[in-house]
Amino acid sequence: MATISTSEFEKGMCIEYKGEPNQIVEFQFVNPGKGSAFIRTKLKNIKTGRVQEFTYKSGETVTLLPVEVHEMQYLYKSGLDFVCMDTRSYEQITIPKEVLGNFAKFTKEGDVYQIQLLNNEPIGMRLPKKVRLLVSEAEEGVKGNTVTGAKKTVVVETGASILVPLFIKTGDVISVNPQTGEYLERESQK
Amino acid sequence: MATWRDFRKDPKLFNNLKIRERIIASIRHYFKEQNFLEVETPLLVPTVIPESYLEVFKTDQLDRRRAKKQMFLTASPEASQKKLIVAGLRNCFEITRSFRNGETDSQTHTPEFTILEWYRVSATYKQSMRDCQYLLRKIASDLHAFDKRKFPNASLICYQGKDISFQLPWTHLSVMEATERYADIGLNDITEKRAQTFHQIFSVSKIAAVAQKKGYSVGKKDSWEQIFNQIFLNEVEPEVRKLEKPVILYDYPAPMAALSKLHPKDKRLAQRFELYIGGLELADSYSELTDWMEQEKRFQKELQTIHRLGKTPVIADSDFLDALKVGLPKSTGVALGVDRLVMLFCDEDSINRVRITV
């Protein structure tokens, strides 16, 4: 199996930690006073979902686990799970809600997502930079409320609530950062 | 990040700058009150104190014939300030920039940052511990006087959802006490007490065995310091971060002595401390090493390590050794990361939000 050095770390990579598959959630450089360089990571155990911190020596090598990324089309929801189809093999696969994390509330039937698989098990997804969503419910911006930066909450087609500027109306398409759930911009007006 | 575009969107960033200005004013006031001289020392220098754990910025200076001379950006104002003290200056301080290459991708490091460095003569690191406490308490109370809404208490702040009390006494913990308490390792477990040479005392194979037993992987090239720090960062530091009071961690193992004096009672330890507040490593202080022969030995060792690690070769500051030969008076110094200090009082988790970035 391939090994990599800490300098090759990327978010989302799967590595072996204490004999278990773990995904790198976060990593950052740390240099203790008058000491060598280290890489502090947050690792999510793929089997248990438990997140823990581990600090590697800079340059330490770890085993990289072969994660494949497949394009999957979201078909329908079944309980808490999302049934998807692999666009290459046409195979259907069930993805538990936890695998999608915060993105679960932005899923739209028919959309294609980049799903990460380890030994044919879905373990996560590559988040798109933005997701376009139709505003299904929006109250009119309150008149007289002209403070710059004033916000209101609207509901989008997938049912998620998003904090947006006052000028957004029902029927507008907005884009949202799927990682933070923050409003980015108005894509088109009704 | 905090580029001008981010400043346009996020008014909190301007508030951070205002708090930063206040903090720097408090620092100046603290040292002026005690008659410290504020100095400015060169950032562009031909030689440096070799520090193997750092990577330098190297550049070329041109003379009028466009002949190149290799120069470096300073990683701290230490050498210049100590030279001034040798020349006859007494207590002094400086707020300046420092440059450390390669320190990107981090919430608490950035290649260019602001450092406060001060020196007090005829004193040891014990006095520097007191200075850190009084300085921080003064900043907290000045900020309280400046904005009672944002800083409702003169000796209590909230950082990342956790209250931190500046009330004395602070937590004083020696590094080995902490290591014993949280990682179950004593100094005798990882050193050869009766050995003669430094190399034998800090035997890599002894500490490697301890680390491997705990499940760490140890590489052939790993140094004693790397193995120790990995255990420290994984098992000790996270616990220190949880303590409610600011923490003074003191007496580091000698391989992390840098430019500090060894402990008179146990040569395996160095008179050095670090100040941790809210999990941030804020300041680093020594009883300054004044023995030029010991300093020269450490220079050689650092130069060898720089070479072994394949880092950018540097030219060691022999002028600094000359100054030590003339005689550095007994003194103590502290380097404090100003940006991290601002993070603490602005309740920010990233160093890139307390100044304008590129």
Side-chain angles (χ1 to χ4, degrees), chain A residues 18 27-38 40 53-58 60-61, chain B residues 51 53 103-107 109 217 222 225-226 229-230 234 237 241 272 274 281 284 286:
Chain A
K18 292 196 171 159
F27 67 95
Q28 69 165 318
F29 166 86
V30 284
N31 193 356
K34 312 299 167 193
S36 320
F38 290 84
R40 174 168 288 150
E53 280 193 359
F54 188 73
T55 303
Y56 289 97
K57 290 176 287 245
S58 180
E60 195 170 338
T61 53
Chain B
E51 297 177 282
Y53 37 87
E103 303 198 351
T104 61
D105 300 300
S106 172
Q107 303 266 86
H109 293 79
S217 75
D222 288 355
E225 173 272 318
Q226 276 178 304
N229 260 329
Q230 188 172 30
N234 278 300
E237 208 202 26
R241 268 191 259 165
R272 178 184 151 210
E274 289 217 0
E281 188 189 320
D284 189 18
Y286 320 139

Side-chain angles (χ1 to χ4, degrees), chain B residues 60-310:
Chain B
D60 288 322
Q61 176 176 291
L62 303 180
D63 70 8
R64 66 194 169 87
R65 296 184 186 83
R66 298 191 66 76
K68 284 180 187 171
K69 182 181 180 188
Q70 183 178 285
M71 298 289 267
F72 303 96
L73 295 178
T74 47
S76 91
E78 182 159 10
S80 292
Q81 270 180 276
K82 283 184 176 170
K83 287 175 191 173
L84 278 172
I85 293 169
V86 168
L89 189 69
R90 300 295 87 175
N91 299 349
C92 59
F93 78 102
E94 178 166 15
I95 298 167
T96 188
R97 293 297 172 83
S98 283
F99 300 89
R100 298 181 183 180
N101 217 339
E103 303 198 351
T104 61
D105 300 300
S106 172
Q107 303 266 86
T108 49
H109 293 79
T110 175
E112 177 188 355
F113 63 98
T114 302
I115 195 170
L116 159 68
E117 185 140 335
W118 76 85
Y119 288 90
R120 210 183 246 285
V121 295
S122 314
T124 69
Y125 71 151
K126 296 263 166 119
Q127 176 60 38
S128 289
M129 293 179 192
R130 286 191 281 274
D131 272 323
C132 283
Q133 299 181 16
Y134 297 140
L135 174 65
L136 268 286
R137 283 165 58 81
K138 176 180 167 54
I139 293 170
S141 98
D142 285 356
L143 286 172
H144 168 68
F146 165 62
D147 187 341
K148 296 212 166 50
R149 238 181 20 184
K150 236 181 259 155
F151 301 96
N153 195 312
S155 63
L156 183 83
I157 59 162
C158 180
Y159 183 65
Q160 303 293 299
K162 244 192 82 185
D163 282 344
I164 297 166
S165 163
F166 286 140
Q167 254 165 18
L168 299 176
W170 289 5
T171 305
H172 286 62
L173 201 58
S174 85
V175 173
M176 288 318 302
E177 263 167 23
T179 310
E180 190 126 29
R181 188 182 299 176
Y182 302 121
D184 200 22
I185 297 176
L187 191 54
N188 290 336
D189 301 330
I190 48 175
T191 57
E192 296 288 354
K193 196 179 176 188
R194 278 174 235 296
Q196 290 302 311
T197 67
F198 185 89
H199 196 74
Q200 289 164 341
I201 296 170
F202 293 97
S203 141
V204 176
S205 56
K206 187 153 184 181
I207 194 172
V210 171
Q212 276 163 335
K213 212 171 150 198
K214 280 176 165 282
Y216 295 97
S217 75
V218 177
K220 275 185 202 141
K221 283 186 173 175
D222 288 355
S223 65
W224 193 95
E225 173 272 318
Q226 276 178 304
I227 300 169
F228 179 82
N229 260 329
Q230 188 172 30
I231 297 172
F232 186 83
L233 290 173
N234 278 300
E235 300 179 37
V236 183
E237 208 202 26
E239 298 302 321
V240 170
R241 268 191 259 165
K242 289 182 198 158
L243 300 172
E244 271 160 40
K245 287 278 184 78
V247 184
I248 288 173
L249 264 182
Y250 63 95
D251 290 354
Y252 278 73
M256 284 113 99
L259 271 64
S260 61
K261 248 195 184 123
L262 294 184
H263 208 287
K265 288 192 188 132
D266 189 338
K267 297 284 177 212
R268 294 174 296 171
L269 298 172
Q271 291 189 315
R272 178 184 151 210
F273 78 85
E274 289 217 0
L275 170 64
Y276 281 83
I277 305 183
L280 293 170
E281 188 189 320
L282 274 183
D284 189 18
S285 167
Y286 320 139
S287 288
E288 300 299 337
L289 178 65
T290 51
D291 175 350
W292 72 269
M293 280 191 281
E294 170 66 18
Q295 185 67 73
E296 190 173 35
K297 262 192 253 166
R298 292 193 200 171
F299 265 29
Q300 289 311 325
K301 218 166 145 244
E302 288 301 305
L303 286 170
Q304 283 162 11
T305 312
I306 288 170
H307 180 75
R308 181 171 57 86
L309 298 175

Side-chain angles (χ1 to χ4, degrees), chain A residues 4-135:
Chain A
I4 54 161
S5 146
T6 55
S7 60
E8 294 164 86
F9 276 8
E10 296 286 351
K11 273 187 201 175
M13 266 181 179
C14 277
I15 58 171
E16 204 175 271
Y17 169 66
K18 292 196 171 159
E20 305 248 304
N22 275 267
Q23 193 159 29
I24 301 176
V25 184
E26 252 176 58
F27 67 95
Q28 69 165 318
F29 166 86
V30 284
N31 193 356
K34 312 299 167 193
S36 320
F38 290 84
I39 310 293
R40 174 168 288 150
T41 58
K42 263 193 190 150
L43 301 173
K44 186 176 159 196
N45 187 310
I46 284 161
K47 288 184 192 159
T48 63
R50 197 173 145 235
V51 176
Q52 52 195 333
E53 280 193 359
F54 188 73
T55 303
Y56 289 97
K57 290 176 287 245
S58 180
E60 195 170 338
T61 53
V62 297
T63 303
L64 178 70
L65 300 174
V67 174
E68 288 180 34
V69 177
H70 285 201
E71 289 204 332
M72 301 259 182
Q73 188 175 35
Y74 170 39
L75 302 178
Y76 59 90
K77 203 168 165 187
S78 156
L80 283 176
D81 303 329
F82 294 75
V83 178
C84 294
M85 182 187 69
D86 192 316
T87 58
R88 257 187 311 181
S89 64
Y90 302 109
E91 232 176 277
Q92 281 196 14
I93 176 168
T94 304
I95 300 178
K97 187 179 172 216
E98 302 79 67
V99 168
L100 298 180
N102 279 336
F103 193 79
K105 60 180 186 232
F106 299 128
T107 48
K108 279 190 287 181
E109 285 173 14
D111 275 4
V112 174
Y113 303 122
Q114 310 244 319
I115 302 296
Q116 296 162 315
L117 302 164
L118 178 67
N119 304 325
N120 293 321
E121 286 292 322
I123 57 159
M125 75 175 281
R126 265 195 204 157
L127 290 180
K129 280 213 177 79
K130 60 181 187 182
V131 46
R132 288 157 52 92
L133 297 161
L134 180 75
V135 177

Side-chain angles (χ1 to χ4, degrees), chain A residues 147-181:
Chain A
V147 183
T148 26
K151 296 270 171 81
K152 64 177 180 184
T153 304
V154 297
V155 179
V156 294
E157 55 183 317
T158 62
S161 298
I162 313 279
L163 210 55
V164 300
L166 295 178
F167 59 79
I168 298 294
K169 295 189 181 66
T170 306
D172 289 352
V173 175
I174 59 169
S175 57
V176 171
N177 176 340
Q179 199 156 11
T180 60

